[in-house]
Amino acid sequence: MATILNDVTDVLHKIRVKLYPNYLEHKIPGKYLARTDSEATVTIEQICMSAKNRGGYTGDLDDMIKHVHRFLHEAVYLLC
């Protein structure tokens, strides 16, 4: 029996590509550069709640969120 433990809204992702005129050195008429445009992001809290709801994490949700934040702060500290 599947139950929802936390209020998590599914974030649906779409890949959106925007085309820009090619302004590089070897300009060829009719050639474009493609860039992706992200429109949906997820937060640490949403990811942790999703893991808890799916059953992938059985511990305390607040502890998981704190641990992820601490991990990311330590990773940034080491990179700096």
Side-chain angles (χ1 to χ4, degrees), residues 9-15 39-42:
T9 55
D10 290 333
V11 178
L12 302 176
H13 295 277
K14 297 177 185 173
I15 297 174
E39 88 300 338
T41 59
V42 291

Side-chain angles (χ1 to χ4, degrees), residues 36-54:
T36 59
D37 184 28
S38 61
E39 88 300 338
T41 59
V42 291
T43 64
I44 292 171
E45 289 77 12
Q46 288 173 320
I47 293 169
C48 293
M49 283 188 274
S50 177
K52 180 82 173 172
N53 285 345
R54 285 185 310 100

Side-chain angles (χ1 to χ4, degrees), residues 63-76:
D63 286 342
M64 182 181 186
I65 292 170
K66 281 190 250 181
H67 294 314
V68 170
H69 279 288
R70 288 179 184 157
F71 171 82
L72 292 175
H73 284 291
E74 186 63 24
V76 169

